[in-house]
Amino acid sequence: MNLLTILLTLILIPLAYFVGSIPTGVWYSEIIQKKDIRTMGSGNSGSTNIGRNFGIKAAVLVALVDVVKGLLPTLIALKLIANFDWGVILVSIASILGHAYSYFDHFRGGKIVATSIGVLLALNFPLALIQVILLFALLYITSVMSFSALLSYGAASIYIILSSDSIAFKIGFLAIFTFMCYRHKDNLIRLSQGNERQLKWGLHKLNK
């Protein structure tokens, strides 16, 4: 690690935060739907609430942009500071924090699932594909997005913690998953009470 690497890291971290801060769901609802998603459904601006209110196509669009918010800064970090694991993971976490606490939305934001998947795609593409497949398999069975997202990303994080040679990535993914659980604290309470909201997709829909 040299002075240039440190300088690039210090530049990339705030840039990643601002990329992560793009409030995809809010801007989509205001510009395309002429409504404020924050006043609808759960009040969250993430793709799940977008889907509940505006349909699957809108949810996919918002989710893909949110994935890119984590993917792009991490890929740039891997290109410019590849030998500095701590710098790479800090850039990744900055993009996730931007999504959770958006500068453009009064420091409010989403629950970081899509952006965290983008980070995982950049750092371990095969593992990310497995995580996404597991997420949708669980979602089809349970129709509960929070449970499916937390379990699938938790499994991926545990794999990295146990298998990675990088202390930075071990600690980084532990931090990401812990933060993801924190952002889902209300969902976890509802899950424990057995009244978490279900999507109209998968076996839940078929059984209706």
Side-chain angles (χ1 to χ4, degrees):
M1 183 176 61
N2 54 37
L3 184 60
L4 178 59
T5 299
I6 295 173
L7 179 61
L8 286 171
T9 302
L10 293 176
I11 293 171
L12 288 173
I13 287 173
L15 288 177
Y17 169 79
F18 281 109
V19 171
S21 282
I22 296 171
T24 317
V26 174
W27 286 357
Y28 172 86
S29 67
E30 291 181 342
I31 296 171
I32 305 299
Q33 301 291 341
K34 309 301 181 185
K35 297 179 181 179
D36 187 349
I37 190 62
R38 295 165 296 186
T39 65
M40 305 171 68
S42 66
N44 189 268
S45 61
S47 58
T48 301
N49 198 37
I50 288 286
R52 286 195 182 102
N53 290 281
F54 302 129
I56 186 65
K57 291 182 180 178
V60 170
L61 175 62
V62 169
L64 287 176
V65 175
D66 285 345
V67 166
V68 171
K69 284 158 49 177
L71 174 67
L72 186 60
T74 306
L75 286 176
I76 292 173
L78 286 171
K79 182 70 173 179
L80 297 180
I81 53 173
N83 295 324
F84 185 28
D85 288 351
W86 282 107
V88 171
I89 199 65
L90 286 174
V91 169
S92 300
I93 289 173
S95 69
I96 292 169
L97 289 174
H99 180 69
Y101 305 111
S102 171
Y103 175 81
F104 304 106
D105 188 25
H106 308 288
F107 299 100
R108 296 173 297 180
K111 297 187 177 180
I112 77 165
V113 174
T115 306
S116 298
I117 290 174
V119 168
L120 186 59
L121 280 167
L123 295 174
N124 192 326
F125 186 79
L127 180 60
L129 290 183
I130 293 171
Q131 184 262 321
V132 171
I133 291 170
L134 178 59
L135 187 157
F136 279 103
L138 290 168
L139 186 58
Y140 182 79
I141 294 168
T142 68
S143 300
V144 179
M145 175 57 83
S146 57
F147 173 81
S148 305
L150 289 171
L151 186 58
S152 61
Y153 206 89
S157 299
I158 290 171
Y159 177 83
I160 290 176
I161 291 167
L162 294 177
S163 65
S164 177
D165 294 328
S166 170
I167 295 296
F169 290 161
K170 288 175 184 285
I171 294 176
F173 274 90
L174 176 61
I176 291 169
F177 180 62
T178 301
F179 185 52
M180 188 180 292
C181 290
Y182 169 74
R183 295 295 290 177
H184 284 84
K185 59 184 183 297
D186 293 337
N187 304 84
L188 289 170
I189 292 171
R190 289 193 295 269
L191 282 168
S192 69
Q193 296 171 342
N195 57 7
E196 175 66 314
R197 291 183 291 264
Q198 290 181 294
L199 298 178
K200 296 179 180 178
W201 187 82
L203 296 180
H204 173 66
K205 181 178 181 180
L206 293 176
N207 290 331
K208 286 292 186 179

mmCIF file of all heavy atoms in Angstrom, residues 52-90:
data_model
loop_
_atom_site.group_PDB
_atom_site.id
_atom_site.type_symbol
_atom_site.label_atom_id
_atom_site.label_comp_id
_atom_site.label_asym_id
_atom_site.label_seq_id
_atom_site.Cartn_x
_atom_site.Cartn_y
_atom_site.Cartn_z
ATOM 1 N N ARG A 52 -45.136 -3.806 -4.588
ATOM 2 C CA ARG A 52 -46.482 -3.912 -4.023
ATOM 3 C C ARG A 52 -47.406 -2.827 -4.577
ATOM 4 O O ARG A 52 -48.608 -3.039 -4.730
ATOM 5 C CB ARG A 52 -46.434 -3.788 -2.502
ATOM 6 C CG ARG A 52 -45.896 -5.017 -1.776
ATOM 7 C CD ARG A 52 -46.239 -4.949 -0.294
ATOM 8 N NE ARG A 52 -45.680 -6.097 0.421
ATOM 9 C CZ ARG A 52 -44.595 -6.069 1.173
ATOM 10 N NH1 ARG A 52 -43.926 -4.938 1.296
ATOM 11 N NH2 ARG A 52 -44.163 -7.155 1.792
ATOM 12 N N ASN A 53 -46.843 -1.662 -4.866
ATOM 13 C CA ASN A 53 -47.674 -0.529 -5.264
ATOM 14 C C ASN A 53 -47.698 -0.254 -6.758
ATOM 15 O O ASN A 53 -48.705 0.248 -7.273
ATOM 16 C CB ASN A 53 -47.194 0.733 -4.522
ATOM 17 C CG ASN A 53 -47.510 0.686 -3.046
ATOM 18 O OD1 ASN A 53 -48.630 0.941 -2.644
ATOM 19 N ND2 ASN A 53 -46.522 0.349 -2.226
ATOM 20 N N PHE A 54 -46.614 -0.610 -7.461
ATOM 21 C CA PHE A 54 -46.542 -0.265 -8.877
ATOM 22 C C PHE A 54 -46.334 -1.457 -9.797
ATOM 23 O O PHE A 54 -46.266 -1.285 -11.014
ATOM 24 C CB PHE A 54 -45.417 0.756 -9.119
ATOM 25 C CG PHE A 54 -45.568 2.022 -8.322
ATOM 26 C CD1 PHE A 54 -44.522 2.522 -7.562
ATOM 27 C CD2 PHE A 54 -46.767 2.724 -8.313
ATOM 28 C CE1 PHE A 54 -44.657 3.682 -6.821
ATOM 29 C CE2 PHE A 54 -46.924 3.888 -7.572
ATOM 30 C CZ PHE A 54 -45.863 4.377 -6.825
ATOM 31 N N GLY A 55 -46.191 -2.654 -9.236
ATOM 32 C CA GLY A 55 -46.083 -3.840 -10.074
ATOM 33 C C GLY A 55 -44.664 -4.382 -10.202
ATOM 34 O O GLY A 55 -43.685 -3.733 -9.833
ATOM 35 N N ILE A 56 -44.586 -5.593 -10.757
ATOM 36 C CA ILE A 56 -43.325 -6.332 -10.826
ATOM 37 C C ILE A 56 -42.298 -5.646 -11.714
ATOM 38 O O ILE A 56 -41.099 -5.649 -11.404
ATOM 39 C CB ILE A 56 -43.574 -7.777 -11.300
ATOM 40 C CG1 ILE A 56 -42.285 -8.597 -11.231
ATOM 41 C CG2 ILE A 56 -44.186 -7.803 -12.693
ATOM 42 C CD1 ILE A 56 -41.741 -8.814 -9.855
ATOM 43 N N LYS A 57 -42.719 -5.065 -12.833
ATOM 44 C CA LYS A 57 -41.763 -4.414 -13.732
ATOM 45 C C LYS A 57 -41.070 -3.244 -13.036
ATOM 46 O O LYS A 57 -39.857 -3.055 -13.181
ATOM 47 C CB LYS A 57 -42.465 -3.946 -15.010
ATOM 48 C CG LYS A 57 -42.928 -5.073 -15.913
ATOM 49 C CD LYS A 57 -43.569 -4.540 -17.179
ATOM 50 C CE LYS A 57 -44.023 -5.684 -18.080
ATOM 51 N NZ LYS A 57 -44.693 -5.174 -19.321
ATOM 52 N N ALA A 58 -41.836 -2.473 -12.289
ATOM 53 C CA ALA A 58 -41.254 -1.352 -11.550
ATOM 54 C C ALA A 58 -40.286 -1.856 -10.488
ATOM 55 O O ALA A 58 -39.202 -1.291 -10.305
ATOM 56 C CB ALA A 58 -42.367 -0.530 -10.900
ATOM 57 N N ALA A 59 -40.662 -2.942 -9.811
ATOM 58 C CA ALA A 59 -39.794 -3.506 -8.767
ATOM 59 C C ALA A 59 -38.481 -3.982 -9.355
ATOM 60 O O ALA A 59 -37.411 -3.748 -8.776
ATOM 61 C CB ALA A 59 -40.513 -4.664 -8.075
ATOM 62 N N VAL A 60 -38.527 -4.649 -10.501
ATOM 63 C CA VAL A 60 -37.314 -5.163 -11.141
ATOM 64 C C VAL A 60 -36.410 -4.006 -11.557
ATOM 65 O O VAL A 60 -35.189 -4.047 -11.348
ATOM 66 C CB VAL A 60 -37.672 -6.043 -12.354
ATOM 67 C CG1 VAL A 60 -36.422 -6.368 -13.172
ATOM 68 C CG2 VAL A 60 -38.351 -7.325 -11.891
ATOM 69 N N LEU A 61 -36.996 -2.970 -12.137
ATOM 70 C CA LEU A 61 -36.213 -1.807 -12.570
ATOM 71 C C LEU A 61 -35.501 -1.156 -11.386
ATOM 72 O O LEU A 61 -34.284 -0.899 -11.437
ATOM 73 C CB LEU A 61 -37.122 -0.792 -13.254
ATOM 74 C CG LEU A 61 -36.462 0.536 -13.655
ATOM 75 C CD1 LEU A 61 -35.345 0.299 -14.666
ATOM 76 C CD2 LEU A 61 -37.501 1.502 -14.212
ATOM 77 N N VAL A 62 -36.231 -0.900 -10.326
ATOM 78 C CA VAL A 62 -35.643 -0.261 -9.141
ATOM 79 C C VAL A 62 -34.574 -1.155 -8.521
ATOM 80 O O VAL A 62 -33.490 -0.690 -8.142
ATOM 81 C CB VAL A 62 -36.740 0.085 -8.114
ATOM 82 C CG1 VAL A 62 -36.133 0.488 -6.774
ATOM 83 C CG2 VAL A 62 -37.625 1.202 -8.650
ATOM 84 N N ALA A 63 -34.863 -2.457 -8.435
ATOM 85 C CA ALA A 63 -33.898 -3.392 -7.844
ATOM 86 C C ALA A 63 -32.607 -3.436 -8.654
ATOM 87 O O ALA A 63 -31.506 -3.446 -8.083
ATOM 88 C CB ALA A 63 -34.508 -4.786 -7.749
ATOM 89 N N LEU A 64 -32.713 -3.458 -9.972
ATOM 90 C CA LEU A 64 -31.517 -3.525 -10.820
ATOM 91 C C LEU A 64 -30.649 -2.281 -10.648
ATOM 92 O O LEU A 64 -29.418 -2.383 -10.562
ATOM 93 C CB LEU A 64 -31.917 -3.695 -12.283
ATOM 94 C CG LEU A 64 -32.447 -5.071 -12.675
ATOM 95 C CD1 LEU A 64 -32.910 -5.076 -14.134
ATOM 96 C CD2 LEU A 64 -31.390 -6.148 -12.462
ATOM 97 N N VAL A 65 -31.271 -1.116 -10.609
ATOM 98 C CA VAL A 65 -30.497 0.118 -10.399
ATOM 99 C C VAL A 65 -29.831 0.091 -9.024
ATOM 100 O O VAL A 65 -28.657 0.457 -8.881
ATOM 101 C CB VAL A 65 -31.388 1.365 -10.546
ATOM 102 C CG1 VAL A 65 -30.591 2.626 -10.211
ATOM 103 C CG2 VAL A 65 -31.944 1.456 -11.968
ATOM 104 N N ASP A 66 -30.556 -0.383 -8.013
ATOM 105 C CA ASP A 66 -29.984 -0.457 -6.672
ATOM 106 C C ASP A 66 -28.823 -1.455 -6.606
ATOM 107 O O ASP A 66 -27.857 -1.244 -5.868
ATOM 108 C CB ASP A 66 -31.068 -0.831 -5.655
ATOM 109 C CG ASP A 66 -32.001 0.325 -5.347
ATOM 110 O OD1 ASP A 66 -31.657 1.473 -5.687
ATOM 111 O OD2 ASP A 66 -33.082 0.082 -4.761
ATOM 112 N N VAL A 67 -28.909 -2.528 -7.364
ATOM 113 C CA VAL A 67 -27.792 -3.479 -7.451
ATOM 114 C C VAL A 67 -26.557 -2.791 -8.038
ATOM 115 O O VAL A 67 -25.443 -2.928 -7.517
ATOM 116 C CB VAL A 67 -28.175 -4.710 -8.296
ATOM 117 C CG1 VAL A 67 -26.931 -5.525 -8.662
ATOM 118 C CG2 VAL A 67 -29.162 -5.594 -7.541
ATOM 119 N N VAL A 68 -26.763 -2.046 -9.095
ATOM 120 C CA VAL A 68 -25.652 -1.346 -9.760
ATOM 121 C C VAL A 68 -24.990 -0.350 -8.812
ATOM 122 O O VAL A 68 -23.774 -0.133 -8.872
ATOM 123 C CB VAL A 68 -26.141 -0.651 -11.046
ATOM 124 C CG1 VAL A 68 -25.058 0.260 -11.635
ATOM 125 C CG2 VAL A 68 -26.567 -1.684 -12.078
ATOM 126 N N LYS A 69 -25.766 0.231 -7.907
ATOM 127 C CA LYS A 69 -25.221 1.189 -6.941
ATOM 128 C C LYS A 69 -24.160 0.555 -6.050
ATOM 129 O O LYS A 69 -23.252 1.240 -5.562
ATOM 130 C CB LYS A 69 -26.349 1.775 -6.098
ATOM 131 C CG LYS A 69 -27.185 2.805 -6.829
ATOM 132 C CD LYS A 69 -28.568 2.993 -6.218
ATOM 133 C CE LYS A 69 -28.547 3.190 -4.731
ATOM 134 N NZ LYS A 69 -29.923 3.447 -4.195
ATOM 135 N N GLY A 70 -24.272 -0.737 -5.798
ATOM 136 C CA GLY A 70 -23.238 -1.435 -5.037
ATOM 137 C C GLY A 70 -22.181 -2.051 -5.932
ATOM 138 O O GLY A 70 -20.997 -2.116 -5.571
ATOM 139 N N LEU A 71 -22.610 -2.499 -7.099
ATOM 140 C CA LEU A 71 -21.713 -3.178 -8.037
ATOM 141 C C LEU A 71 -20.652 -2.236 -8.605
ATOM 142 O O LEU A 71 -19.443 -2.544 -8.587
ATOM 143 C CB LEU A 71 -22.534 -3.789 -9.172
ATOM 144 C CG LEU A 71 -21.778 -4.429 -10.331
ATOM 145 C CD1 LEU A 71 -21.045 -5.684 -9.878
ATOM 146 C CD2 LEU A 71 -22.744 -4.762 -11.481
ATOM 147 N N LEU A 72 -21.078 -1.101 -9.126
ATOM 148 C CA LEU A 72 -20.171 -0.201 -9.845
ATOM 149 C C LEU A 72 -19.058 0.362 -8.960
ATOM 150 O O LEU A 72 -17.872 0.273 -9.336
ATOM 151 C CB LEU A 72 -20.971 0.921 -10.502
ATOM 152 C CG LEU A 72 -20.184 1.872 -11.411
ATOM 153 C CD1 LEU A 72 -19.535 1.106 -12.556
ATOM 154 C CD2 LEU A 72 -21.104 2.963 -11.956
ATOM 155 N N PRO A 73 -19.359 0.935 -7.795
ATOM 156 C CA PRO A 73 -18.256 1.450 -6.965
ATOM 157 C C PRO A 73 -17.266 0.362 -6.551
ATOM 158 O O PRO A 73 -16.054 0.609 -6.493
ATOM 159 C CB PRO A 73 -18.981 2.028 -5.741
ATOM 160 C CG PRO A 73 -20.351 2.332 -6.213
ATOM 161 C CD PRO A 73 -20.667 1.251 -7.203
ATOM 162 N N THR A 74 -17.782 -0.842 -6.279
ATOM 163 C CA THR A 74 -16.895 -1.933 -5.868
ATOM 164 C C THR A 74 -16.002 -2.369 -7.022
ATOM 165 O O THR A 74 -14.801 -2.639 -6.822
ATOM 166 C CB THR A 74 -17.717 -3.122 -5.342
ATOM 167 O OG1 THR A 74 -18.589 -2.667 -4.306
ATOM 168 C CG2 THR A 74 -16.804 -4.202 -4.774
ATOM 169 N N LEU A 75 -16.552 -2.441 -8.219
ATOM 170 C CA LEU A 75 -15.736 -2.797 -9.389
ATOM 171 C C LEU A 75 -14.650 -1.760 -9.635
ATOM 172 O O LEU A 75 -13.505 -2.112 -9.968
ATOM 173 C CB LEU A 75 -16.624 -2.934 -10.632
ATOM 174 C CG LEU A 75 -17.509 -4.172 -10.722
ATOM 175 C CD1 LEU A 75 -18.384 -4.106 -11.970
ATOM 176 C CD2 LEU A 75 -16.662 -5.448 -10.731
ATOM 177 N N ILE A 76 -14.987 -0.493 -9.486
ATOM 178 C CA ILE A 76 -13.992 0.570 -9.675
ATOM 179 C C ILE A 76 -12.897 0.453 -8.611
ATOM 180 O O ILE A 76 -11.706 0.591 -8.911
ATOM 181 C CB ILE A 76 -14.667 1.953 -9.614
ATOM 182 C CG1 ILE A 76 -15.587 2.132 -10.831
ATOM 183 C CG2 ILE A 76 -13.624 3.063 -9.568
ATOM 184 C CD1 ILE A 76 -16.427 3.388 -10.785
ATOM 185 N N ALA A 77 -13.308 0.161 -7.377
ATOM 186 C CA ALA A 77 -12.319 -0.024 -6.307
ATOM 187 C C ALA A 77 -11.403 -1.203 -6.603
ATOM 188 O O ALA A 77 -10.186 -1.133 -6.383
ATOM 189 C CB ALA A 77 -13.032 -0.218 -4.970
ATOM 190 N N LEU A 78 -11.982 -2.292 -7.099
ATOM 191 C CA LEU A 78 -11.166 -3.461 -7.451
ATOM 192 C C LEU A 78 -10.180 -3.143 -8.571
ATOM 193 O O LEU A 78 -9.100 -3.731 -8.640
ATOM 194 C CB LEU A 78 -12.079 -4.612 -7.873
ATOM 195 C CG LEU A 78 -12.844 -5.311 -6.745
ATOM 196 C CD1 LEU A 78 -13.873 -6.266 -7.328
ATOM 197 C CD2 LEU A 78 -11.878 -6.062 -5.824
ATOM 198 N N LYS A 79 -10.545 -2.234 -9.433
ATOM 199 C CA LYS A 79 -9.665 -1.836 -10.533
ATOM 200 C C LYS A 79 -8.530 -0.924 -10.059
ATOM 201 O O LYS A 79 -7.374 -1.070 -10.479
ATOM 202 C CB LYS A 79 -10.489 -1.114 -11.611
ATOM 203 C CG LYS A 79 -9.713 -0.673 -12.834
ATOM 204 C CD LYS A 79 -9.282 -1.847 -13.676
ATOM 205 C CE LYS A 79 -8.655 -1.372 -14.980
ATOM 206 N NZ LYS A 79 -8.191 -2.504 -15.822
ATOM 207 N N LEU A 80 -8.874 0.004 -9.161
ATOM 208 C CA LEU A 80 -7.910 1.051 -8.798
ATOM 209 C C LEU A 80 -7.099 0.735 -7.544
ATOM 210 O O LEU A 80 -5.959 1.197 -7.421
ATOM 211 C CB LEU A 80 -8.649 2.382 -8.610
ATOM 212 C CG LEU A 80 -9.344 2.949 -9.857
ATOM 213 C CD1 LEU A 80 -10.040 4.258 -9.523
ATOM 214 C CD2 LEU A 80 -8.354 3.152 -10.997
ATOM 215 N N ILE A 81 -7.696 -0.011 -6.612
ATOM 216 C CA ILE A 81 -6.988 -0.285 -5.348
ATOM 217 C C ILE A 81 -7.099 -1.782 -5.016
ATOM 218 O O ILE A 81 -7.339 -2.164 -3.855
ATOM 219 C CB ILE A 81 -7.540 0.578 -4.187
ATOM 220 C CG1 ILE A 81 -9.059 0.430 -4.047
ATOM 221 C CG2 ILE A 81 -7.171 2.032 -4.385
ATOM 222 C CD1 ILE A 81 -9.637 1.115 -2.814
ATOM 223 N N ALA A 82 -6.898 -2.606 -6.023
ATOM 224 C CA ALA A 82 -7.135 -4.047 -5.883
ATOM 225 C C ALA A 82 -6.323 -4.691 -4.765
ATOM 226 O O ALA A 82 -6.765 -5.679 -4.159
ATOM 227 C CB ALA A 82 -6.839 -4.742 -7.208
ATOM 228 N N ASN A 83 -5.153 -4.175 -4.491
ATOM 229 C CA ASN A 83 -4.280 -4.799 -3.486
ATOM 230 C C ASN A 83 -4.540 -4.297 -2.066
ATOM 231 O O ASN A 83 -3.825 -4.667 -1.134
ATOM 232 C CB ASN A 83 -2.813 -4.543 -3.848
ATOM 233 C CG ASN A 83 -2.425 -5.225 -5.151
ATOM 234 O OD1 ASN A 83 -2.889 -6.326 -5.441
ATOM 235 N ND2 ASN A 83 -1.585 -4.569 -5.944
ATOM 236 N N PHE A 84 -5.555 -3.475 -1.905
ATOM 237 C CA PHE A 84 -5.879 -2.907 -0.592
ATOM 238 C C PHE A 84 -7.293 -3.363 -0.212
ATOM 239 O O PHE A 84 -8.272 -2.664 -0.445
ATOM 240 C CB PHE A 84 -5.782 -1.386 -0.637
ATOM 241 C CG PHE A 84 -5.987 -0.699 0.685
ATOM 242 C CD1 PHE A 84 -5.683 -1.325 1.892
ATOM 243 C CD2 PHE A 84 -6.473 0.597 0.728
ATOM 244 C CE1 PHE A 84 -5.879 -0.691 3.109
ATOM 245 C CE2 PHE A 84 -6.669 1.246 1.939
ATOM 246 C CZ PHE A 84 -6.373 0.597 3.124
ATOM 247 N N ASP A 85 -7.385 -4.550 0.391
ATOM 248 C CA ASP A 85 -8.690 -5.138 0.711
ATOM 249 C C ASP A 85 -9.530 -4.243 1.613
ATOM 250 O O ASP A 85 -10.751 -4.133 1.438
ATOM 251 C CB ASP A 85 -8.511 -6.505 1.377
ATOM 252 C CG ASP A 85 -8.038 -7.567 0.404
ATOM 253 O OD1 ASP A 85 -8.011 -7.293 -0.811
ATOM 254 O OD2 ASP A 85 -7.690 -8.676 0.863
ATOM 255 N N TRP A 86 -8.873 -3.615 2.584
ATOM 256 C CA TRP A 86 -9.622 -2.743 3.484
ATOM 257 C C TRP A 86 -10.245 -1.575 2.717
ATOM 258 O O TRP A 86 -11.388 -1.179 2.983
ATOM 259 C CB TRP A 86 -8.723 -2.219 4.600
ATOM 260 C CG TRP A 86 -8.470 -3.217 5.679
ATOM 261 C CD1 TRP A 86 -7.313 -3.902 5.916
ATOM 262 C CD2 TRP A 86 -9.402 -3.671 6.664
ATOM 263 N NE1 TRP A 86 -7.460 -4.762 6.983
ATOM 264 C CE2 TRP A 86 -8.741 -4.637 7.466
ATOM 265 C CE3 TRP A 86 -10.733 -3.363 6.946
ATOM 266 C CZ2 TRP A 86 -9.363 -5.271 8.522
ATOM 267 C CZ3 TRP A 86 -11.354 -4.005 8.009
ATOM 268 C CH2 TRP A 86 -10.667 -4.946 8.782
ATOM 269 N N GLY A 87 -9.497 -1.028 1.773
ATOM 270 C CA GLY A 87 -10.032 0.062 0.964
ATOM 271 C C GLY A 87 -11.207 -0.380 0.127
ATOM 272 O O GLY A 87 -12.232 0.311 0.039
ATOM 273 N N VAL A 88 -11.096 -1.555 -0.496
ATOM 274 C CA VAL A 88 -12.180 -2.082 -1.342
ATOM 275 C C VAL A 88 -13.450 -2.274 -0.526
ATOM 276 O O VAL A 88 -14.543 -1.850 -0.930
ATOM 277 C CB VAL A 88 -11.757 -3.409 -2.006
ATOM 278 C CG1 VAL A 88 -12.949 -4.055 -2.709
ATOM 279 C CG2 VAL A 88 -10.628 -3.173 -3.003
ATOM 280 N N ILE A 89 -13.332 -2.918 0.625
ATOM 281 C CA ILE A 89 -14.535 -3.203 1.417
ATOM 282 C C ILE A 89 -15.118 -1.930 2.008
ATOM 283 O O ILE A 89 -16.348 -1.803 2.155
ATOM 284 C CB ILE A 89 -14.246 -4.267 2.501
ATOM 285 C CG1 ILE A 89 -15.559 -4.905 2.986
ATOM 286 C CG2 ILE A 89 -13.485 -3.661 3.666
ATOM 287 C CD1 ILE A 89 -16.296 -5.702 1.949
ATOM 288 N N LEU A 90 -14.276 -0.939 2.334
ATOM 289 C CA LEU A 90 -14.792 0.330 2.836
ATOM 290 C C LEU A 90 -15.549 1.087 1.748
ATOM 291 O O LEU A 90 -16.576 1.723 2.029
ATOM 292 C CB LEU A 90 -13.650 1.188 3.386
ATOM 293 C CG LEU A 90 -13.075 0.734 4.731
ATOM 294 C CD1 LEU A 90 -11.854 1.564 5.097
ATOM 295 C CD2 LEU A 90 -14.130 0.830 5.839
#
